[in-house]
Amino acid sequence: MKLFQHARKTKSEILFDVFIYGLAICLILLIVYPLWLVIIASFSNPSDVATGKVWFIPREWRLDGYQRLIEQPLFLKSYLNTILYTVVGTIVALVINIPAGYALSRKDLFAKKWVSVFFIVPMFVSGGLIPIYLTVKQLGLVDTFWVMVVPFAVSPYNIVVARTFFNNSIPEGMWEAAQIDGCGTIHYFRKIVLPLSKAIIAVIGLWTAVGIWNSWFNALIYLTNENLQPLQLILRRLLISNQMLQSQATGEVASDLRIKADMMKYAAIVISTAPIMMLYPFVQKYFNQGVMIGALKE
């Protein structure tokens, strides 16, 4: 006699499973296909894309959009700037926000309630653009590399999320045991807490990297030197200039400019999103765990 016997599914259960799987497949296609269409459009003949002849694969492989984009002045320089801003800015943000979150999670922190209020209030109230600009200018950071890294490295939201993670994931008894062994606060944080905090480090690091990579407004306000401007600001300028040229042209010239502008736009989307999409698989195993930290009850 078999110890276990799988019960056969009823027709209603089978139909329900088919419905759920079909719905999931449709949702995946709705999300994935637009991304795939942009990718294949960036490698297709501009006329094929304009006439709607490209659906799943390019009819003719072309690199017109990428060539025109790379030929633009300051494109490669701005791409390198964005990479440097993202790498350095993410490291600086982690160095600041992770220890701050751990400090707020400690019960023996002096004036803990007042310090918590000091970090929480900026989440809801901002000083405004003009006061912030004047402060950054007085610090001598305008038109420098560090203006994209230092002034906005502190994130109260990330600090609160990190604090919640440490409160829920690091047992207080571990600190007491470390004290018995003669472990100090810094040594305990560096040797014990950080290795157990890979999930929150990955999540905050990814959030910060995506935010810096996509940022263009701060560069528009604080950077006038074109050699320091990031990729997103250069792409924005290219799109605006192409729209202005199209509005001034007529007939076949306007149509040709529109097609070339669309090709550059597709190529810009692929180039600007590829690094972040390539980064995500490396932090996915930590991201799924850490992304729900802020929803946990403290």
Side-chain angles (χ1 to χ4, degrees), residues 88-102:
V88 178
T90 301
I91 294 174
V92 172
L94 290 176
V95 170
I96 294 175
N97 296 318
I98 296 297
Y102 172 70

Side-chain angles (χ1 to χ4, degrees), residues 177-236:
Q179 283 183 306
I180 296 175
D181 293 336
C183 184
T185 303
I186 297 178
H187 187 75
Y188 170 74
F189 176 74
R190 185 167 58 90
K191 292 293 185 179
I192 299 177
V193 174
L194 286 181
L196 297 176
S197 307
K198 294 179 180 179
I200 195 62
I201 292 174
V203 171
I204 292 179
L206 184 60
W207 285 347
T208 304
V210 172
I212 297 175
W213 185 271
N214 293 329
S215 176
W216 61 270
F217 185 75
N218 290 338
L220 180 65
I221 299 299
Y222 301 105
L223 293 178
T224 57
N225 187 350
E226 293 184 344
N227 292 320
L228 294 174
Q229 292 177 349
L231 175 65
Q232 304 300 338
L233 190 58
I234 299 298
L235 294 179
R236 175 179 177 273

Side-chain angles (χ1 to χ4, degrees), residues 9-263:
K9 292 184 177 181
T10 62
K11 291 183 178 180
S12 60
E13 291 176 338
I14 295 175
L15 291 175
F16 180 76
D17 290 343
V18 171
F19 172 76
I20 292 298
Y21 284 115
L23 180 63
I25 293 173
C26 291
L27 290 176
I28 292 174
L29 291 176
L30 288 175
I31 296 172
V32 173
Y33 180 73
L35 299 176
W36 175 247
L37 182 61
V38 171
I39 294 174
I40 61 176
S42 67
F43 290 101
S44 300
N45 189 321
S47 59
D48 292 339
V49 178
T51 54
K53 297 180 180 179
V54 176
W55 289 91
F56 295 104
I57 58 174
R59 298 183 61 187
E60 179 184 356
W61 291 87
R62 300 279 292 273
L63 297 174
D64 296 13
Y66 293 95
Q67 290 176 353
R68 290 181 58 84
L69 193 61
I70 294 175
E71 290 172 357
Q72 298 299 317
L74 300 175
F75 173 79
L76 295 178
K77 179 65 176 179
S78 65
Y79 204 100
L80 178 61
N81 289 339
T82 300
I83 294 174
L84 292 176
Y85 292 145
T86 303
V87 173
V88 178
T90 301
I91 294 174
V92 172
L94 290 176
V95 170
I96 294 175
N97 296 318
I98 296 297
Y102 172 70
L104 287 179
S105 70
R106 294 289 299 270
K107 296 181 180 179
D108 56 348
L109 176 65
F110 177 75
K112 180 178 179 180
K113 291 184 178 180
W114 292 105
V115 175
S116 299
V117 171
F118 178 79
F119 281 104
I120 292 175
V121 169
M123 293 176 60
F124 306 98
V125 180
S126 174
L129 180 60
I130 295 177
I132 293 175
Y133 179 85
L134 294 176
T135 302
V136 172
K137 185 177 181 180
Q138 289 178 356
L139 293 174
L141 295 176
V142 175
D143 256 347
T144 65
F145 172 88
W146 298 105
V147 75
M148 297 294 293
V149 175
V150 175
F152 310 99
V154 178
S155 172
Y157 177 80
N158 289 340
I159 292 175
V160 172
V161 171
R163 182 199 64 178
T164 306
F165 173 85
F166 292 127
N167 283 335
N168 290 278
S169 302
I170 308 296
E172 184 65 21
M174 190 175 296
W175 163 241
E176 297 174 356
Q179 283 183 306
I180 296 175
D181 293 336
C183 184
T185 303
I186 297 178
H187 187 75
Y188 170 74
F189 176 74
R190 185 167 58 90
K191 292 293 185 179
I192 299 177
V193 174
L194 286 181
L196 297 176
S197 307
K198 294 179 180 179
I200 195 62
I201 292 174
V203 171
I204 292 179
L206 184 60
W207 285 347
T208 304
V210 172
I212 297 175
W213 185 271
N214 293 329
S215 176
W216 61 270
F217 185 75
N218 290 338
L220 180 65
I221 299 299
Y222 301 105
L223 293 178
T224 57
N225 187 350
E226 293 184 344
N227 292 320
L228 294 174
Q229 292 177 349
L231 175 65
Q232 304 300 338
L233 190 58
I234 299 298
L235 294 179
R236 175 179 177 273
R237 186 183 305 163
L238 290 175
L239 294 177
I240 293 176
S241 62
N242 287 333
Q243 291 177 356
M244 293 179 62
L245 290 175
Q246 293 178 44
S247 63
Q248 296 173 0
T250 57
E252 295 183 359
V253 176
S255 177
D256 183 62
L257 288 174
R258 181 182 60 80
I259 292 175
K260 292 180 179 179
D262 288 341
M263 295 308 302

